[in-house]
């Protein structure tokens, strides 16, 4: 399944070293101002090669909108967006044809499909998130028009919570031919109450799926997250006052539905699996080999994952917002009728 | 959205104090032995009133299968299962008509729908999980036929990780008119490699959504979970040997696809929000009131959530297993053709 | 797939001789007045045994609403409705265990699933439409609140277009142990322009699927239907005037979207396949046998299919209407903002 | 909704005069040989400008595959295919900015979305079918590997059923600045029994939706179609013999499931609405105007619709075939187990 969302639906495609990556967004309401200039800043934030701490692969990552926009506005028809791959040095990956990198999806893809595009990880590459970011940029535009903003920040890198030291942690890992993980927080402000569904379509369930669907995320917390497991009910409940909730342990979501408070999600990101440190693995004949991964890799994916996580949150919220607009339209009809009477 | 799964689809319905709760499972392959006797043990594990530490509401929770089974086997048509509500004392909830309980979905439902069934929490009640358990029992039967078993255990209650003290933690909270949270672990054994999809349909993304969709779950971890954020790549990667992975930090899932190792998920469960301890809230006119929740409630939902979490994991795995069976069938055709040649 | 609709979704279950037939309607907006009294007249119109020209099977077909309604209104949660089977004389069908009736799904079910509930045709029985009618009754309530009404009429029976002779055609077939087909027209009035989607979600595509999904329908026409194939463009185009279209050859749908004119659909219904006239077939061992179908059957399904076809049209329109309400809500926001400025 | 299919899913995008038209096919099993050379012949069959009886717009319609193929085979990941627009003379359509063409979707798009890409009909143009044809080419490859072939033929043009006169009918219409409709038949051979679902997922329901979703189709018949309405059951039932069905009135589908006989679908195609003959319509201010449509148009869409109808049938069958492969895989497991015992 390469489609995300039910009302506001994004279908993505593309491999790390294929011709292009792209997304088709279906279900976006008409009349939203949108152009390539709205997407590019998002792509630039996740672009490789802009710091000596990210992979040196150089991709312009220029978005091209193929459909769905007319005279600067969405028309209600599918918005297709594409980024071409240019700096795809597949030769770098030739030795990976027959060796399965630990921590990567190489082996499981082979087991699942019986065939795999091994060049740069193919579809399982982090480069796949280019498509998510393009879709997320459109979702963010829709949300902005409704007063909702999504932002993110690094909480920790390699266990270090001091922002002044994040870079040093990454540099140290890089110099050791190793990698480090970290924690990221995403926050949505301005979301009205009533967004999200009960039962399986809970807003936090959708956010959890969205975040865990990003490669290398291994944990998701809403609001105070794991900490709630150690609390008493009287400590954890958010009391309600005439002007809103008095605390926000719940992270803006109760019963799967937004409360109107800030929505807060945290994710745990594993260290990049591609490292120069030698690791035990097997080749395609099942024989043990030792692998030191060359190629161009990030020693820490945390800085570049920020915009991806924001975009996934924006996709979830845009979808839930469109869903709730059905209820609102019918409720509005009722109100209109009452006024007429 | 009250449907879960794409290939193996469960659609649930029912309110805490309505006539019945139920589920329709569509997409279950034919030929699986199944009867009410396969469901009842699951329902009995989540049934209220069986311990002095759970709510004293007494429900027989007898399953009735309405369709889809013929001569003891699934037929490939929808399997509908229903449990009637019998001990629904809605009168207990009259005072909740106009007061919003902190930590509950009362207020957000009202904001979302403009109407709510306030009796016992209506659709937002934990009683809704009766339907999930019935569906999960069928999923577990399907999986058992494929060699996959799902189990669960309590990891901690109120921060206490000693199983000998779990009951005391709960009893102490109950006596104080309070409640406690905890952590639960679900494990699936016997899952072959290759189950799960890349990108949005990742097995861990589906598990995260499944778990977070259970009321009161605020965090989800796969494998080592949050701990990976503090590690080096060389510490976290699972090396691969000729006989399988040498460690299982990944919790049985890499790139969203099962590795063949045990699948491990942990969830953080918040303390039950219904407590006798007085809490600040508002009434339906927006005026501040103090609420002490009466009625019949669990001081800790952790013991009863075990079977629900297992069942949600079973639904995810059954769905992903059916999805992969398409690839397998086509691959099998290829192999058959090769043999013929 | 036993789910119909995308926004307004009906999931049905049940076999002819099982315990019950039912439907879960998900995605219905809150605040719609609805009770069992709204459903029963629809069920009564399709009920067997009310005329000597329909099957003598006697079923009360009393609907029971299990969920989703509170104080007489929809709450936005799933509405489950059930009808119990009472007069299921499965013994009548014992000889069908091993014989495949021509024109029925007996043989293909066996080939598809490897198992089949042969009692009364199981899931392939026309009795399955009980669930569609219950869902359609709710859709019709939603539409009525929006000014849309759906009706139907018999166009012909056995080629005879004179309403005064329909009954004679059916009686003649019955007396000969035979059966006859006919044509039915469904019409929706009051539908505003703009309902339906381009490309795959066209309103006429959805109507065609809806109608063809009713057992024994073999042809669907929109507006002038097949006749358009013999025309010139100048004869077939509906000219547009300031007060609307000057003709309605298109049957109220252009480009898959409603025009505001009456929506008109016609369906061709085949003669009931269960006949006493001896027919060649095979048994489960593949041996040729001659079969004269006993049991209780309709000599003509056309009169009872009217309400089913209406209900399927109502489901399509309710779904498309909910879809368009997203666009409307966003458009309304624009208008609100403009007024504020 | 711009997605078609549930297991084998095609999501299309693009406008007549936008940058490109394209499709993303998700859910295609891995290991199917496929390249641009498999698509181009299909595109060439629907390409404009290849006869003096079709629109003189000249488009190379060269397919470019952007993803999902590796070393000449599908990999199980999404296959994206794109055709760029080159000969888009949008200036031709400037007068249509403010005038609604009768028989076209201009007016309903404006009513639905409040905005429309009027250049060449935008998304409602027949050019949208380029994307369907690319997806259909992949579906046809999948089916060919399973022994299924889909073909089509013209049954009639302007009521004339003599193939020798089809061209004259079209030429006469063209010379009169008019247009004509016709009837097309699609046939699938080699389809095994058991494909298709009961109730809403019936194979004929899916085919009806597929065909009616093609612009200008106003009627769909399965097998003998409308003719069955005038028959007796004894005339219409297909008797069954040890070697298969003795007749095929049903068009290869009973109860929504394939019988193993040829699957036969016929569609009625309306005359192209763009004609030079003057027609009454309104402008965007609602004032009556007379319109004679210039631009480049087909006097009869029937010859070019053949490949589109084939491709839609192929998409339906590929989807249903993948669905049934789940049942087959599970059934195969049963057989494997029996052999082991």
């Amino acid at each position: 399944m390469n489609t995300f969302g039910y009302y506001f639906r994004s279908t993505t495609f593309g491999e790390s070293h294929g011709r292009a990556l792209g997304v088709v967004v279906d279900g976006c309401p008409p009349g939203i101002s949108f152009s390539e200039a709205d997407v590019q800043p998002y792509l630039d934030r996740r672009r490789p090669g802009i710091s000596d701490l990210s992979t040196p692969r150089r991709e312009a990552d220029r978005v091209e909108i193929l459909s769905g926009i007319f005279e600067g506005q969405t028309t209600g028809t599918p918005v297709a967006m594409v980024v071409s791959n240019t700096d795809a040095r597949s030769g770098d990956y030739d030795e990976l044809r027959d060796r399965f990198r630990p921590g990567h999806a190489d082996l499981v893809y082979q087991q699942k499909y019986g065939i795999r595009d091994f060049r740069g990880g193919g579809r399982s590459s982090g480069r796949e998130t280019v498509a998510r970011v393009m879709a997320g940029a459109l979702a963010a535009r829709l949300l902005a028009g409704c007063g909702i903003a999504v932002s993110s920040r690094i909480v920790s890198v390699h266990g270090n919570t001091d922002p002044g030291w994040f870079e040093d942690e990454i540099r140290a890992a890089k110099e050791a031919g190793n990698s480090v993980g970290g924690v990221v927080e995403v926050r949505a402000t301005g979301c009205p109450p009533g967004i999200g569904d009960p039962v399986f379509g809970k807003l936090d369930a959708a956010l959890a799926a969205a975040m865990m669907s990003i490669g290398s995320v291994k944990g998701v917390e809403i609001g105070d997250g794991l900490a709630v497991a150690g609390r008493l009910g009287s400590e954890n409940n958010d009391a309600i006052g005439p002007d809103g909730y008095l605390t926000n342990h719940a992270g803006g979501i109760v019963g799967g539905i937004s409360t109107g408070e800030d929505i807060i999600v945290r994710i745990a990101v594993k260290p990049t699996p591609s490292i120069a440190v030698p690791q035990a693995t097997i080749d395609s004949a099942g024989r043990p080999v030792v692998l030191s991964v060359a190629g161009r890799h990030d020693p820490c994916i945390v800085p570049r994952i920020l915009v991806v996580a924001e975009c996934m949150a924006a996709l979830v919220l845009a979808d839930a917002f469109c869903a709730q607009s059905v209820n609102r339209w019918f409720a509005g009809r009722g109100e209109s009728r009452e006024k007429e009477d």
Side-chain angles (χ1 to χ4, degrees), chain A residues 3-340:
Chain A
T3 297
F4 188 82
Y6 195 82
Y7 293 79
F8 187 99
R9 288 175 295 281
S10 302
T11 301
T12 71
F13 61 85
E15 285 86 30
S16 179
H17 290 225
R19 287 194 187 156
L21 297 131
V23 64
V24 184
V25 181
D26 196 8
C28 183
I32 295 173
S33 299
F34 191 67
S35 74
E36 280 133 355
D38 293 305
V39 186
Q40 203 57 50
Y42 284 83
L43 284 173
D44 290 346
R45 286 176 62 199
R46 81 156 292 292
R47 195 146 59 88
I50 52 175
S51 144
D52 70 326
L53 290 180
S54 76
T55 164
R57 177 170 173 175
R58 303 200 81 81
E59 288 287 355
D61 284 356
R62 306 303 301 179
V63 61
E64 189 181 12
I65 300 179
L66 299 182
S67 67
I69 306 295
F70 184 63
E71 300 184 340
Q73 290 195 309
T74 59
T75 60
T77 62
V79 180
M81 295 178 268
V82 172
V83 157
S84 295
N85 285 323
T86 55
D87 185 21
R89 302 187 202 151
S90 305
D92 287 5
Y93 293 90
D94 269 359
E95 76 158 338
L96 298 181
R97 178 188 281 271
D98 296 317
R99 290 163 175 234
F100 303 112
R101 294 167 297 171
H104 273 288
D106 301 343
L107 178 55
V108 291
Y109 259 63
Q110 191 67 39
Q111 290 167 320
K112 180 176 186 66
Y113 296 113
I115 178 178
R116 79 181 206 280
D117 181 348
F118 58 82
R119 301 166 304 165
R123 182 84 179 132
S124 75
S125 165
R127 189 150 174 74
E128 159 262 316
T129 58
V130 161
R132 303 178 186 229
V133 167
M134 294 189 282
L138 178 52
R141 282 292 296 160
L142 181 152
L143 294 173
C146 302
I148 303 173
V150 182
S151 61
S152 62
R153 66 180 184 94
I154 299 178
V155 172
S156 68
V157 169
H158 197 204
N160 196 327
T161 58
D162 183 338
W165 288 91
F166 290 166
E167 194 174 314
D168 300 75
E169 291 285 356
I170 300 173
R171 195 171 305 277
K174 185 185 179 186
E175 284 164 9
N178 216 325
S179 63
V180 282
V183 172
V184 162
E185 182 179 282
V186 178
R187 180 179 293 253
T189 57
C191 184
I195 304 304
D197 262 7
V199 190
F200 304 121
K202 286 191 169 81
L203 192 57
D204 37 0
L207 285 167
M211 296 302 161
M212 202 71 98
S213 81
I214 304 171
S216 76
V217 174
K218 300 298 283 186
V220 180
E221 299 180 289
I222 304 294
D224 289 357
L226 295 198
V228 307
R231 291 197 188 136
L232 295 169
S234 57
E235 296 165 337
N236 192 58
N237 281 348
D238 295 312
I240 311 174
D243 301 322
Y245 293 81
L246 306 186
T247 52
N248 187 19
H249 299 303
I253 303 173
V254 170
I257 300 173
S258 63
T259 63
E261 302 295 310
D262 281 5
I263 293 171
I264 300 165
V265 188
R266 268 189 317 285
I267 57 175
V269 182
K270 75 175 184 181
T272 327
S274 289
I275 53 177
V277 177
Q279 304 172 84
T281 187
I282 56 174
D283 65 13
S284 56
R287 291 168 305 207
V289 290
V290 170
L291 185 71
S292 168
V293 181
R296 301 166 294 176
H297 304 289
D298 293 88
C300 182
I301 204 70
V302 169
R304 290 177 62 206
I305 222 171
L306 288 171
V307 67
V308 179
E310 276 178 36
C311 282
M312 290 308 299
L315 289 174
V316 168
L317 290 170
D319 191 34
F321 205 88
C322 288
Q324 177 64 358
S325 68
V326 177
N327 290 342
R328 288 180 174 191
W329 185 82
F330 276 90
R333 282 188 65 257
E335 287 157 22
S336 307
R337 273 201 310 267
E338 280 165 25
K339 283 179 196 157
E340 287 166 18

